[in-house]
Amino acid sequence: MDMAFPRARVPALGVFFLLLCGVLTGCLGGSGSDRVSWPGSPDMPDIDEDRILPVIFVHGTAGSASQYQTQAMRFASNGYPEDHVVAYEYSTAGAVEINRALTGGLSGDLDGFVDNVLAEFGADQVYLACHSLGTAVCGYYVANPDREAKVAGYVAIDGATGESCPGDSNCMGLFVDETRRLGEVNAYVPDETHVQAATSEASFAAQFEFFTGVEPVRTEILPQRDEVEIAGRAVYFPANTGAAGTTLQVWEIDPDTGERLEAAPLDTFSITANGNWGPVTLDPTAYYEFQLLRPGRSEHHFYRQPLIRNSALVRLNTSQAGSVIEENTNASDDHASLVISRDMEWWGDRGTDNDLLEISTTSLLWGDQPAVNIIDPAIGSRNIGIHVHDDEATPAVTTGDPLPYFPEQPFQWGVDVYMPASTPADGVISVVSTPRGDTDNKQTLNVPNLPSSQHRISLTFNDYVQD
């Protein structure tokens, strides 16, 4: 059975549901309340209770739970208990770690994780949603009959696990290429890319129907009213190990400048070996800075678009001291450095469907730098993280040329852009994303022009556009 899901945006439900949520005590705010119906509440799919099982996401190379954060919110937007979507994370930091995944070396670790999830939820089985390299991990896992018995359904997202489903497992292949097959059930998301296949609306619709037996009522995220609870992990990329010994502070900021609105943080968390932080209660319409204090090292500042539903899968990726990432990031007192990411590839080779990512800087001391688009055909269509800083070879000049090292890394790119900085910050770096040529839906993040010698800055754009 083959199914094709075209790349298309579902008509916006925003105004209707925001008005609707205004008369409710909350809009599907928590795990117990998601399946409660009351007069005037949003329609939800009629899911057989026996098919509501924990969903475990298993990421691919350079991945994490981040690639399933949006999908978890979509599950909750269709009445699925939000705490039932979790992620198994592992290291893809080098050839040894990747070989462990390819040869089944992680199956034992995954089995322990599955057992813990079964115990936590009092369930007999789980669902697996596995992406890219993660399909190798899951393929080996379900090939073992004892472990396969713990899996009620398995989705292999744009990976390679052979021509048929391992054993007698109930599985579906989900691909961007309509020539590929995996077992009897296959779904396709044409005109999408590899990482996007894990995060898109069409991918969600296919997975939701496969797991529950019913179609979702909506593929957009149903916003919550009032407050959201956000939690996640601060980890070293791409090892996914906790950034132990660091401290996370959360600040509300002015979206036009990135300036903090209060003298003290909203909340503070000490990060231990597991990397966990939260929950923190946030306004789903506001913008925030997540500041990671790294003793004896530069601070790491994270900025992202608002989170409009509860989420426990937020990931803050930092780097270890002396890492090759930091060694290849030119730092000085005079310029800023950014890492811009989105869990959907930036398109540079698709003509009118190309993304635009424009960076401009205002600085009282150094003068303004005009907007420059850093997406060009050389970027291709397989990159989700873009490193941006002043190239040491051409100081104080924006060439737009690729930076050394980063283009050779999985799903990464680098661009030479001069963004003047000062201490304290005397201006704003503005980053404007025009997703897939959609000029009606420009997305903007504004951050202070902090110097790269003392500050790392990461910006995360949502992998979806919602009116």
Side-chain angles (χ1 to χ4, degrees), residues 14-38:
V15 174
F16 171 76
F17 282 115
L18 286 173
L19 291 173
L20 179 61
C21 287
V23 300
L24 304 177
T25 57
C27 200
L28 306 180
S31 59
S33 64
D34 279 2
R35 295 188 54 75
V36 175
S37 296
W38 57 87

Side-chain angles (χ1 to χ4, degrees), residues 93-360:
V96 173
E97 288 86 351
I98 291 175
N99 189 59
R100 283 189 72 207
L102 288 171
T103 59
L106 292 174
S107 293
D109 295 344
L110 176 56
D111 194 43
F113 186 87
V114 169
D115 285 344
N116 288 338
V117 170
L118 291 173
E120 179 181 353
F121 291 98
D124 294 324
Q125 291 183 304
V126 300
Y127 297 126
L128 294 179
C130 311
H131 176 237
S132 190
L133 181 65
T135 64
V137 178
C138 294
Y140 276 101
Y141 184 82
V142 298
N144 179 298
D146 292 335
R147 294 171 177 174
E148 178 196 348
K150 304 175 187 180
V151 180
Y154 160 44
V155 175
I157 307 170
D158 213 41
T161 57
E163 294 302 318
S164 62
C165 294
D168 296 321
S169 57
N170 175 35
C171 74
M172 175 177 73
L174 180 60
F175 301 110
V176 299
D177 181 351
E178 294 185 72
T179 68
R180 299 179 65 189
R181 301 285 186 273
L182 181 69
E184 296 299 319
V185 180
N186 297 280
Y188 302 97
V189 284
D191 202 26
E192 295 192 356
T193 38
H194 181 65
V195 174
Q196 183 187 8
T199 65
S200 73
E201 291 181 359
S203 171
F204 163 74
Q207 294 179 66
F208 185 89
E209 184 174 357
F210 179 73
F211 289 145
T212 67
V214 297
E215 296 181 1
V217 169
R218 61 190 60 80
T219 58
E220 287 194 333
I221 298 167
L222 187 62
Q224 288 176 220
R225 184 178 68 87
D226 295 333
E227 297 175 335
V228 295
E229 286 195 347
I230 303 301
R233 298 178 68 214
V235 297
Y236 292 125
F237 171 85
N240 283 319
T241 54
T246 62
T247 300
L248 180 66
Q249 296 183 338
V250 183
W251 306 78
E252 185 174 357
I253 61 171
D254 182 336
D256 294 328
T257 64
E259 183 179 358
R260 296 169 182 173
L261 297 181
E262 302 292 342
L266 290 173
D267 218 331
T268 300
F269 304 97
S270 297
I271 306 301
T272 60
N274 61 22
N276 292 342
W277 56 268
V280 57
T281 301
L282 303 179
D283 179 346
T285 66
Y287 287 72
Y288 295 90
E289 171 196 348
F290 297 81
Q291 178 193 24
L292 193 65
L293 302 174
R294 309 183 301 178
R297 304 174 59 201
S298 59
E299 301 174 6
H300 198 157
H301 309 264
F302 299 84
Y303 303 87
R304 61 183 308 132
Q305 293 181 272
L307 292 153
I308 60 178
R309 283 199 67 87
N310 293 345
S311 178
L313 300 182
V314 175
R315 293 296 178 264
L316 305 177
N317 288 333
T318 192
S319 52
Q320 293 178 299
S323 70
V324 290
I325 289 177
E326 294 200 358
E327 288 177 355
N328 284 279
T329 299
N330 184 32
S332 79
D333 294 337
D334 301 327
H335 76 267
S337 172
L338 306 180
V339 181
I340 307 170
S341 64
R342 183 182 68 181
D343 285 318
M344 180 177 76
E345 289 86 347
W346 304 97
W347 280 4
D349 57 358
R350 304 296 179 96
T352 57
D353 286 335
N354 280 352
D355 288 282
L356 296 178
L357 196 56
E358 297 171 295
I359 301 175
S360 60

